[in-house]
Amino acid sequence: MKNQQRSEETRTRILAAALDCFARYGYAASGVAEICQAAGVSKGAFYHHFAGKQALFQSLLGDWLTDLEQTLTRAASTANSVPERLTNMARMARLIFHSNSPQTSFLLEFWSQASRDAAVRQAIIAPYRRFQRYFADLIQQGVDEGTLQPVNALAAAQTLISLTSGLFLQHLVDPQGADWAQATEDAIHLLLHGLQKPEGGAP
Amino acid sequence: MKNQQRSEETRTRILAAALDCFARYGYAASGVAEICQAAGVSKGAFYHHFAGKQALFQSLLGDWLTDLEQTLTRAASTANSVPERLTNMARMARLIFHSNSPQTSFLLEFWSQASRDAAVRQAIIAPYRRFQRYFADLIQQGVDEGTLQPVNALAAAQTLISLTSGLFLQHLVDPQGADWAQATEDAIHLLLHGLQKPEGGAP
DNA sequence: TTTAAAAAACCGACTGGTTGGTATGTTTTT
DNA sequence: AAAAACATACCAACCAGTCGGTTTTTTAAA
């Protein structure tokens, strides 16, 4: 086998094993030796590919975030009006929730570390800002085309992200507690149509 | 000093020190010895009051949750219509966010552990269910009194909790990233009034 | 009230096991 | 032959929890 291929495969195996271990036992409880054994490689290989446990962790985070970004932007491209697009993205939640359910529980570790480690925080904040801008643009577009109320686009985007983050968080903590995919659809629907009954009639 | 007083004070000191350490360095990185030093007590005292590190952790969680529950229910009791009450509670977010900001970052550890430890999960889920029922009742009341749309109360309550959880999560990860108290008010307002512009006129 | 014993609270040195990381050697590719 | 990739034994540091002993408080008998 070519060297480059072999190397890349080992790296991938380590990443996959680490993802599994972190999700199963948590970051702190997952030893490097344990990860190596799960990946079927030696410690030498590990430290040849990664500067340390933390570096591996951040690498994992980066990969997941770029994946999410790609998935989301793809889903938004197939619809006409902005409300339709948002509904589509909400429906896609089912896919995200179900596909790699156990693996994603390591995201809690990310958030946890981000609150203390500046490097991790930056790694999370940067794509977050991109998401926010993306949704803000989308919402502004909806306002311009007249399908959305004349709201503050940035604030509305933040609300949307907070809502989905919260749903995802609860899904991670208590996967069996509810049909979170359905809950996401319901929540987006509720956000779109409003909870309060309008007092006066429309013009 | 009386024995009971002394004992209780030591226990409180340990809890406070642990809260500080967990928030600052995380659960795993905070050693029992470190906590003891910060609290000004010995290991003997520690293990006299708590069965172990994990027990201390859960004790901390319990205290925080009961505090939150009390604060919230108090805030909901002073208003007339249901939308007003919800707005009031949103305004109270500023208080929650600002009061003990750094301390609360240990909640991320809770969520993280809850996804793996059944005991921690139960400790979080039980009050969560109470919150959900409480808000569902509130929303149902709003539907009955005609101030809210005829929505599914339980689903709407879940949405409300997810939204606030998400906001709190982001506040913990990136406290300086935004005015999260304001964002909470905005978000609740948005949820109440809806994002999408109604197509037809009202009756 | 005094006192002695029992109980509760507290102390701190010690340990057995774990772990991230390293140093050195070996295999495979270039 | 050089370099990249990988393997393995090893270590120093750390850490949750223990254990025998000490101080303080309470109890209760004298």
Side-chain angles (χ1 to χ4, degrees):
Chain A
M1 196 194 298
K2 278 197 178 168
N3 211 359
Q4 209 175 347
Q5 277 180 17
R6 180 170 65 129
S7 175
E8 199 167 324
E9 192 186 310
T10 325
R11 195 187 136 92
T12 307
R13 285 241 299 278
I14 294 174
L15 282 169
L19 185 64
D20 188 62
C21 285
F22 288 160
R24 217 189 285 271
Y25 316 110
Y27 175 81
S30 300
V32 173
E34 205 175 351
I35 294 172
C36 289
Q37 194 180 359
V41 301
S42 70
K43 265 195 175 182
F46 181 95
Y47 281 97
H48 177 75
H49 284 283
F50 299 95
K53 199 180 167 188
Q54 187 70 18
L56 164 74
F57 182 76
Q58 293 191 33
S59 186
L60 226 44
L61 170 61
D63 289 0
W64 192 84
L65 282 174
T66 52
D67 267 16
L68 177 67
E69 212 157 356
Q70 284 182 358
T71 310
L72 270 191
T73 49
R74 256 203 304 271
S77 59
T78 56
N80 296 322
S81 75
V82 170
E84 271 182 64
R85 283 203 210 179
L86 290 175
T87 309
N88 273 5
M89 294 174 90
R91 242 190 294 277
M92 208 194 44
R94 176 156 283 118
L95 196 137
I96 294 183
F97 281 150
H98 276 296
S99 66
N100 42 9
S101 192
Q103 271 78 1
T104 48
S105 92
F106 83 122
L107 281 177
L108 286 166
E109 299 275 356
F110 282 156
W111 280 323
S112 195
Q113 289 199 21
S115 72
R116 277 182 301 274
D117 188 295
V120 178
R121 177 162 51 241
Q122 284 311 316
I124 287 198
I125 287 180
Y128 165 74
R129 295 246 192 277
R130 283 200 293 275
F131 281 140
Q132 193 183 16
R133 180 162 301 175
Y134 176 81
F135 282 118
D137 288 348
L138 194 65
I139 287 167
Q140 187 60 53
Q141 187 184 331
V143 173
D144 291 343
E145 76 183 21
T147 53
L148 295 186
Q149 309 247 19
V151 295
N152 180 337
L154 213 64
Q158 208 167 56
T159 301
L160 195 63
I161 294 177
S162 294
L163 179 58
T164 47
S165 299
L167 283 158
F168 198 69
L169 172 67
Q170 296 189 62
H171 158 72
L172 291 181
V173 170
D174 184 20
Q176 311 298 333
D179 183 348
W180 295 110
Q182 184 61 46
T184 304
E185 284 190 46
D186 293 351
I188 300 282
H189 182 267
L190 212 61
L191 186 64
L192 278 175
H193 293 87
L195 188 56
Q196 192 171 10
K197 187 173 284 185
E199 292 182 17
Chain B
M1 196 195 296
K2 280 200 176 165
N3 211 0
Q4 208 174 352
Q5 277 179 17
R6 179 171 65 129
S7 175
E8 200 166 324
E9 191 185 311
T10 324
R11 194 187 138 92
T12 307
R13 285 240 300 278
I14 294 174
L15 282 169
L19 185 63
D20 188 61
C21 285
F22 287 161
R24 215 188 286 273
Y25 316 111
Y27 175 80
S30 299
V32 172
E34 204 174 353
I35 294 172
C36 289
Q37 195 180 359
V41 301
S42 70
K43 268 196 173 180
F46 181 95
Y47 282 98
H48 178 75
H49 284 282
F50 299 96
K53 200 180 165 186
Q54 187 69 18
L56 164 74
F57 182 75
Q58 292 191 35
S59 186
L60 226 45
L61 170 61
D63 288 0
W64 192 85
L65 282 174
T66 52
D67 269 15
L68 176 67
E69 212 157 355
Q70 284 181 357
T71 310
L72 269 192
T73 48
R74 256 203 305 270
S77 60
T78 56
N80 296 321
S81 75
V82 170
E84 272 182 63
R85 283 203 210 181
L86 290 176
T87 309
N88 273 6
M89 294 174 90
R91 242 190 294 277
M92 208 195 44
R94 177 155 282 118
L95 197 136
I96 294 182
F97 281 150
H98 276 297
S99 66
N100 42 9
S101 192
Q103 271 77 1
T104 48
S105 93
F106 83 122
L107 281 177
L108 286 166
E109 298 275 356
F110 282 155
W111 280 322
S112 195
Q113 289 199 20
S115 72
R116 276 183 300 274
D117 187 296
V120 178
R121 177 163 51 241
Q122 284 309 316
I124 287 197
I125 287 180
Y128 165 74
R129 297 245 192 275
R130 283 200 294 275
F131 282 139
Q132 192 182 18
R133 181 163 300 174
Y134 175 81
F135 282 118
D137 287 350
L138 194 66
I139 288 167
Q140 187 60 54
Q141 186 184 334
V143 173
D144 291 343
E145 77 183 19
T147 53
L148 295 186
Q149 310 247 19
V151 295
N152 179 337
L154 213 63
Q158 208 167 56
T159 301
L160 195 62
I161 294 177
S162 294
L163 179 58
T164 47
S165 300
L167 283 158
F168 198 69
L169 172 67
Q170 296 190 62
H171 158 71
L172 292 181
V173 170
D174 184 19
Q176 311 299 334
D179 183 349
W180 294 111
Q182 184 62 45
T184 304
E185 284 190 45
D186 293 350
I188 300 281
H189 183 267
L190 211 61
L191 186 63
L192 279 174
H193 293 88
L195 189 57
Q196 191 170 9
K197 186 174 282 184
E199 292 181 18

